[in-house]
Amino acid sequence: MDKVRPGIGQTAFAKGSPLPPDGLAADAQRFGDLPAGALSAGDIEALDRLAEMMRHRRVALLTGAGLSTDSGIPDYRGPDSAPRQPLTYQEFVGDPLLRQRYWARNHIGWAHMHRAEPNVGHFAAAALERAGHLTGIVTQNVDRLHEDAGASNVVDLHGRFDQVVCMNCQTTYSRSFLATILAELNPGFLEAVNGAPIGPDADADIADELLIASFKIAKCPLCGGMLKPDFVFFGENVPKERVERSFAMVEAAELLLVAGSSLTVMSGLRFVKRAAKDLKHVVIINRGETRGDPLANAKLETGVGESLSYLAGALGLDWHNR
């Protein structure tokens, strides 16, 4: 890529127990592209020690919504996030009015989210993977930005926002194809809600209840069945195959690095629990408390994208290009 969107530093965290004392000395601006003050001297010292560990240990990387906020995608639990009550799987399939509301909001959220671009953290993670430092990337995000940045060995644990699936015949369609259908069914809708606040997971806030009530949802073009985004809703189980692939990545690693996840839901926390049980190092980079903190060997409260790009630079990698 010729141009990398700089991070805006919305994701970060607090120090816990230190990393092992061996490490490298560092200068905050050594690798460039990090704004002055983006990383403190203490952050850099801890990241240098982590980079030295990564020279000799393979790493499984678990990423959460905090990594993608620098790409303009809001998260549920970040320090600047407003409280939200996400729609559950049971509500989506069981309540036609809630399903209509969901698709009206998602139609707006998709128009914003599909334009998001990878940030420095995504490019750095892809560089770490290409260089063989990672056993793989497990992401709780549905935005596909890891793949857009060039990573290939990625488990989209909670699915992907760029596809929809028919719950009757299981046919999969691209979300862009559905957007075309919804635009035809609801002419002028996007223009009427221009400027609506965007939420996590391609959601949006719409104040006009009459507009929501007028929204027409699409059915499966093949069988007329119910369409659902191809990602895991709250209250829905993660497919077994994804869980098994993720555990295999953790088991093949000697260190688990968590970047930008509060680990609130068990779908991510279980990998931290497994790593700790197997006496692997666990390092967490996240702003604010996480459920994995008591199990971590080290906790950094600093920018996620800045940290990953610094680690890639410390390991001699060019993360600017795929």
Side-chain angles (χ1 to χ4, degrees):
M1 297 284 289
D2 295 326
K3 182 179 179 182
V4 176
R5 177 180 297 182
I8 55 176
Q10 292 183 346
T11 48
F13 356 0
K15 289 191 178 96
S17 54
L19 288 166
D22 58 317
L24 305 172
D27 174 4
Q29 298 304 309
R30 178 167 53 177
F31 301 113
D33 286 2
L34 296 179
L39 296 172
S40 71
D43 296 333
I44 291 168
E45 184 179 354
L47 290 168
D48 276 335
R49 290 196 291 270
L50 177 56
E52 185 65 13
M53 292 176 67
M54 291 175 67
R55 295 180 191 277
H56 311 290
R57 297 173 173 88
R58 296 196 74 197
V59 177
L61 177 61
L62 171 63
T63 65
L67 176 59
S68 292
T69 54
D70 285 0
S71 294
I73 299 175
D75 61 1
Y76 281 106
R77 303 176 185 89
D80 301 318
S81 301
R84 303 181 74 89
Q85 184 63 43
L87 189 72
T88 68
Y89 173 78
Q90 292 76 16
E91 289 170 333
F92 181 86
V93 300
D95 190 323
L97 293 179
L98 289 178
R99 188 161 60 251
Q100 178 190 44
R101 173 181 293 273
Y102 174 87
W103 279 120
R105 294 161 64 111
N106 181 265
H107 188 45
I108 304 166
W110 160 259
H112 168 83
M113 190 171 173
H114 85 280
R115 293 193 295 266
E117 298 175 357
N119 62 57
V120 294
H122 297 104
F123 285 106
L128 290 168
E129 184 209 23
R130 285 195 302 272
H133 290 288
L134 305 182
T135 60
I137 300 170
V138 180
T139 184
Q140 296 174 283
N141 301 334
V142 300
D143 51 41
R144 301 283 289 176
L145 292 180
H146 279 299
E147 289 87 349
D148 289 347
S152 58
N153 190 20
V154 181
V155 176
D156 295 304
L157 190 65
H158 293 162
R160 44 193 294 181
F161 85 116
D162 63 340
Q163 292 184 167
V164 294
V165 61
C166 174
M167 301 187 69
N168 181 52
C169 69
Q170 303 305 307
T171 301
T172 299
Y173 303 94
S174 73
R175 183 59 182 81
S176 58
F177 172 68
L178 178 63
T180 300
I181 296 176
L182 290 175
E184 292 175 352
L185 291 174
N186 301 278
F189 182 83
L190 290 178
E191 292 76 10
V193 293
N194 185 39
I198 304 300
D201 291 343
D203 192 15
D205 295 327
I206 307 175
D208 190 336
E209 293 294 331
L210 291 178
L211 193 61
I212 293 175
S214 69
F215 190 83
K216 297 179 177 63
I217 63 176
K219 297 180 180 180
C220 174
L222 189 62
C223 74
M226 182 189 302
L227 294 176
K228 172 187 169 296
D230 196 14
F231 53 72
V232 178
F233 277 64
F234 285 84
E236 189 178 7
N237 292 325
V238 176
K240 183 179 179 181
E241 179 271 336
R242 293 181 205 162
V243 177
E244 290 176 345
R245 277 191 62 203
S246 301
F247 272 127
M249 290 178 178
V250 174
E251 289 167 2
E254 297 163 284
L255 186 153
L256 175 62
L257 175 59
V258 180
S261 175
S262 63
L263 301 170
T264 300
V265 294
M266 185 56 67
S267 63
L269 181 62
R270 57 182 150 193
F271 303 116
V272 175
K273 288 179 176 288
R274 172 67 65 85
K277 180 181 178 182
D278 293 344
L279 302 180
K280 301 176 188 288
H281 275 84
V282 176
V283 178
I284 299 175
I285 305 176
N286 190 68
R287 179 187 291 170
E289 184 179 359
T290 84
R291 288 181 68 192
D293 290 355
L295 301 173
N297 298 92
K299 169 84 175 296
L300 288 83
E301 251 193 68
T302 192
V304 177
E306 294 92 335
S307 295
L308 291 177
S309 58
Y310 185 90
L311 286 171
L315 291 166
L317 306 178
D318 179 7
W319 49 266
H320 298 77
N321 298 292
R322 299 192 203 189

